[in-house]
Amino acid sequence: MRKNYFEKLVRYMKNVYHFERGLNKLSDGRTNPTYTTGQVILPVPFGFLIRIKSFNELNFMIKNNEFSKLFPRGMKLPQVDTIRDTLKVVDIEGLKQINLYIIKKAVENKVF
């Protein structure tokens, strides 16, 4: 098996399903945020893909720069506290729209 299969999967998600673009359209109730909503939420689905069991493990991976190849150079990832606080106030309807788009695109591409 190839070593960079995860990187290829992420690239496929970004190019075919426009996953990152959908996350950037999300809104939340934070005032003067340092990171955009998309930047904050993006490590969470990557954590689900590689079966991270907790936010503590996700925090450890962020601190060790294990996601560095998945994001553009110079982009600093937020801490888990920021991710947790943003997930509390994120727009649920926007997430539902992203989910519906992904399902529609998967059916369209005959993935199922």
Side-chain angles (χ1 to χ4, degrees):
M1 188 179 291
R2 296 181 190 130
K3 292 182 181 181
N4 58 356
Y5 71 95
F6 183 66
E7 195 174 334
K8 287 184 179 185
L9 175 65
V10 170
R11 196 175 321 124
Y12 175 78
M13 284 175 37
K14 288 180 180 181
N15 292 335
V16 174
Y17 296 106
H18 308 291
F19 188 70
E20 197 171 24
R21 193 179 320 159
L23 288 179
N24 286 333
K25 291 181 182 178
L26 289 176
S27 63
D28 57 17
R30 297 179 298 153
T31 56
N32 297 328
T34 305
Y35 302 100
T36 64
T37 306
Q39 288 175 331
V40 174
I41 295 177
L42 200 55
V44 176
F46 293 154
F48 285 133
L49 284 174
I50 59 174
R51 297 182 180 177
I52 293 177
K53 296 176 181 153
S54 67
F55 275 147
N56 289 334
E57 192 174 344
L58 180 66
N59 189 31
F60 179 75
M61 293 181 82
I62 289 172
K63 285 184 179 179
N64 288 336
N65 294 324
E66 294 188 28
F67 293 124
S68 62
K69 290 186 178 181
L70 301 176
F71 297 99
R73 280 193 177 164
M75 180 177 165
K76 186 178 175 193
L77 293 177
Q79 297 297 318
V80 172
D81 294 333
T82 307
I83 295 172
R84 192 177 295 127
D85 292 340
T86 303
L87 288 175
K88 288 179 187 177
V89 295
V90 73
D91 178 30
I92 300 295
E93 290 302 317
L95 289 173
K96 287 180 183 178
Q97 291 299 321
I98 293 170
N99 192 23
L100 287 174
Y101 175 76
I102 290 172
I103 292 171
K104 178 183 168 192
K105 190 69 170 178
V107 170
E108 207 175 271
N109 292 346
K110 298 180 182 178
V111 173
F112 293 115

